[in-house]
Amino acid sequence: MSKLLLIKQDKRRHGCSVISVFHTRSSTTMLTLYKSLVHSLLEYCCPVWNPKKISDIQELEGVQRTFTSRIAGCQELDYWERLQKLSLMSLQRRRERYIVLHMWKLLHGDVSNDIRIEFVERPRTGIKAKIPPLNGTSAAGNQSLYDNSFAVMGPRLWNCLPARINTIETFGLFKERLTSFLMSIPDKPPVRGYSTQNSNSILDWRKDAATTDLLGGQDC
């Protein structure tokens, strides 16, 4: 059974139970319940399992979209507005955040670097990760697998960080600065019924002129 199917089943069971048992709809209570009981189901092992199909992203985002629509004071806001009001990241953005956090751990030897990602330090742009080349003899159909693999997606996302962040050596401080940095980037995930400017990945916002300077003007 696929992870997405399991999530579809669990989200209904957990979401309904939380909403039916607790009558308050205050943002503090609802967000505490959501982060405690639902987030872990949606984000387990997400550095490895990070869906790229728009339909899968929409399915996952629908969990948070539905839950936040029940919060007091948010019923009249659309999903993107609710994210801003509640200071929440989209689930898509949170998955990319986890990937970047794992890259920091690889860089500093906190986890095993089994896939042998290499880093190089540059005077102007700080620490960059090398993106492994696709085998020239590989079939064309493998391009998508290559692009979506952690070995490629991890370095590409990491390389979007400006030097003031990618050179931080303390994990707690890095996590704090990374979160603030990501919260400053537009976060408009694909959701059904909404017209989106791009896929909402940090990689796509990197191509947007308004956020190029924010992302350091560097290649991702």
Side-chain angles (χ1 to χ4, degrees), residues 100-119:
V100 174
L101 289 173
H102 195 73
M103 286 290 293
W104 186 96
K105 293 178 181 180
L106 289 174
L107 170 64
H108 293 274
D110 287 359
V111 295
S112 177
N113 190 359
D114 295 329
I115 54 178
R116 299 179 181 178
I117 291 178
E118 298 180 19
F119 296 87

Side-chain angles (χ1 to χ4, degrees), residues 100-210:
V100 174
L101 289 173
H102 195 73
M103 286 290 293
W104 186 96
K105 293 178 181 180
L106 289 174
L107 170 64
H108 293 274
D110 287 359
V111 295
S112 177
N113 190 359
D114 295 329
I115 54 178
R116 299 179 181 178
I117 291 178
E118 298 180 19
F119 296 87
V120 59
E121 188 165 4
R122 299 170 181 169
R124 186 176 64 86
T125 58
I127 301 172
K128 293 299 181 182
K130 294 183 179 181
I131 300 173
L134 178 65
N135 191 317
T137 61
S138 180
N142 291 335
Q143 182 69 50
S144 178
L145 295 175
Y146 165 83
D147 290 338
N148 297 335
S149 67
F150 179 86
V152 173
M153 182 61 69
R156 283 179 173 169
L157 291 171
W158 175 268
N159 290 346
C160 289
L161 302 181
R164 69 180 185 276
I165 296 177
N166 65 35
T167 53
I168 295 175
E169 297 185 353
T170 304
F171 183 70
L173 180 59
F174 175 79
K175 185 177 179 180
E176 176 186 330
R177 297 286 173 82
L178 174 65
T179 299
S180 296
F181 172 72
L182 295 179
M183 291 293 289
S184 69
I185 300 171
D187 192 7
K188 298 180 178 181
V191 286
R192 293 185 177 92
Y194 289 49
S195 177
T196 56
Q197 180 177 338
N198 53 44
S199 74
N200 193 52
S201 170
I202 302 169
L203 300 176
D204 276 349
W205 284 113
R206 166 64 182 79
K207 302 171 186 176
D208 185 83

Side-chain angles (χ1 to χ4, degrees), residues 15-47:
C16 291
S17 63
V18 169
I19 292 173
S20 62
V21 172
F22 293 87
H23 297 292
T24 179
R25 294 293 182 264
S26 72
S27 60
T28 300
T29 300
M30 290 286 281
L31 289 177
T32 298
L33 292 170
Y34 175 69
K35 293 175 181 179
S36 300
L37 302 176
V38 182
H39 258 174
S40 60
L41 295 173
L42 302 173
E43 298 176 339
Y44 178 74
C45 208
C46 62

Side-chain angles (χ1 to χ4, degrees), residues 8-19:
K8 287 180 181 179
Q9 295 174 346
D10 284 345
K11 77 178 184 182
R12 295 186 180 93
R13 178 165 55 87
H14 283 74
C16 291
S17 63
V18 169
I19 292 173

